Amino acid sequence: MMVSRVISDSGLKICESGAAIDIRLPWYRSLPLSTVEIGEVRIDGQLVSPLAMTFEVNNKRYALDQLADKCDEWWYVLDSGLIHIINLKLERGSQHEVSVTVGIRPPYIPGFYRLTECTKQLNAE
Amino acid sequence: MMASNSGLQLGVTLFSFTNEFHSRQYTLEQLIAKVAELNLGPGIEIVGFSSVRGFPVVTDEFAANFKELLAKHNLKPACLGLNADMYKNPNKPMTPDESLAYHEAQLDATAKLGFPVGRYQFLAGTDVIHRLLPKAERLNVKLGLEIHAPEHVNSPIVMQYRELYAKENSPYLGFIPDFGSTARRVSPAFISYFRQLGLPEALITLAEEMWLSKDDPNNPTAKIPEFQARAKAAGFRPVDIAECFIVFGLFSRQQPAAWREIMSQIVHIHGKFYHFNEDGSESAIPYEEILPVFVEGGYNGYMVSEWEGHFLCDDGGFAKVQKHQELCRRILAGCGAQNAVTS
């Protein structure tokens, strides 16, 4: 089921601003960002503050609380999204338990809210 | 368009291969080639917002390549799935004008890709469909309302559309049965899935019992809040209740013969399925009873195999669709359908 693909295999990346987690949309079709919520993110059990994260889709980065306004910015179903964690320093090759919760509200099913939680052991690459 | 006496023809929606596509194992081109290789056509349905990047915008290049691809493999465009994304802004539903424009763009895409039918959803509303009709006629694309569980041919919302259809009397207004609404039980595939998730057995039993209890034909969605309330009162966790309530939205138990009432207006069919018994029959949806109704009713059009099991497991869809079509061919041959051998 798609839940196991929320976090991509080899999805923990070291980048200039810190670290990034490669995630996938847990639904069969593209959705506007306004219907997507990035919920709890944990690295090795430690909750990451939402203020320390941004979310990147289509080469654009958003603060997590900006997503709700992005009614016309689409997350195509085959694309990865990147959760950037600012200033998180990871050693290349080190292993970490990464946990991400994503909520979606498919816009054609009023009142339906689906929360998916995915946890993987990943090496920082 | 399909010849008027073609009978019930088989096909497949690429939605059945959500696992293959979403996991990036197959591209759209590869899915179509595989469908042809396994002879799962000739009818092809796609979901616009899934198969087409940038939908409802379809570039000339994409449209040309797509049509060429189908032609190369002798496959026929059957239906494009449109979505009524009324809650693109979760806090403020689209106005009727916005919804009309949203559907118009998708209808243009339907025509551009060569599909004769656009599947639409209840949420579109009768006023929007009424206003969309002239464009559908101009583009030569039929609008098909998907009758999906828990709704049925006589439920209040479907009756609103039937009244509009009676008034307009246009061949461009039709219905698309989804056979999840003609089930006789909750699919055992879901029960196993719930157990695999570790949901409490008593909660699963409550869902099954309530599903089997008497329905209110005038309020098909009534059981959803009722189940949620009873499960909550019994102390089950909200997250478990949220997993379980979906059975009331995927399965309902209209009698197969009820489709006769709207037979002449049916423009396409979703052959929904999840799981098979050892003898090859679908374990919740009685195809043996359903298909003869369509053959006897003189239905001409496609029934696409629609496997929704990606919701439950990581299995691929190809083997499942093959099995579904074997079952359907067997039943169609048994009731003397003209296409049973050739399709």
Side-chain angles (χ1 to χ4, degrees), chain B residues 59-79:
Chain B
T59 64
D60 294 347
E61 190 191 0
F62 184 97
N65 288 342
F66 181 77
K67 288 198 229 178
E68 200 179 305
L69 193 63
L70 291 193
K72 183 174 106 182
H73 292 294
N74 280 323
L75 296 170
K76 306 289 177 205
C79 180

Side-chain angles (χ1 to χ4, degrees), chain B residues 240-263:
Chain B
D240 292 343
I241 299 170
E243 278 293 344
C244 240
F245 90 92
I246 197 161
V247 300
F248 297 98
L250 294 179
F251 304 99
S252 52
R253 50 181 180 164
Q254 171 178 265
Q255 288 303 308
W259 295 120
R260 283 191 194 125
E261 260 187 64
I262 54 166
M263 187 61 71

Side-chain angles (χ1 to χ4, degrees), chain A residues 1 24-25 29 34 72 79, chain B residues 22 49 53 85 88 314:
Chain A
M1 66 209 80
R24 298 289 309 282
L25 183 61
R29 53 157 284 201
S34 49
D72 295 304
D79 287 347
Chain B
H22 188 276
F49 282 105
R53 182 188 287 276
D85 290 340
K88 225 154 59 91
D314 284 334

Side-chain angles (χ1 to χ4, degrees), chain B residues 254-273:
Chain B
Q254 171 178 265
Q255 288 303 308
W259 295 120
R260 283 191 194 125
E261 260 187 64
I262 54 166
M263 187 61 71
S264 64
Q265 294 171 308
I266 294 175
V267 292
H268 184 70
I269 298 170
H270 281 173
K272 174 69 63 60
F273 71 101

